[in-house]
Amino acid sequence: GKPLVFADHPEMAAYFYKGAVTTRIAEEPLAEALNAAWRERDRLTRESAELRLELNRSWQHQFAVVRELIG
């Protein structure tokens, strides 16, 4: 439920497509990303909560499919 700041990596960005700010690992871009996350913390917090629900539904669905396949 908290905003994320993490290194720009395609797989991570695809998974955490809401509630996050990505950055290059360097002093200035990291500082800019942290400032952006602070400025946008209310929106990012809402998005993070939305993403948590979406991911939970997705995992529950995938788990049900696996359980059905296992029998």
Side-chain angles (χ1 to χ4, degrees):
K2 303 286 184 199
L4 296 172
V5 176
F6 59 86
D8 190 10
H9 191 273
E11 286 79 13
M12 290 285 290
Y15 191 77
F16 294 105
Y17 61 93
K18 288 183 177 179
V21 176
T22 61
T23 185
R24 288 184 304 111
I25 300 296
E27 186 175 330
E28 189 173 318
L30 181 56
E32 290 171 7
L34 290 169
N35 285 327
W38 181 256
R39 283 190 311 273
E40 298 295 322
R41 67 189 175 277
D42 292 337
R43 178 183 60 81
L44 292 170
T45 299
R46 276 192 314 275
E47 287 181 0
S48 181
E50 292 169 5
L51 182 60
R52 181 190 309 155
L53 292 173
E54 291 173 20
L55 293 175
N56 188 40
R57 281 191 293 264
S58 174
W59 277 101
Q60 292 299 324
H61 172 74
Q62 292 175 30
F63 183 66
V65 169
V66 169
R67 288 189 78 186
E68 187 175 311
L69 289 172
I70 293 173

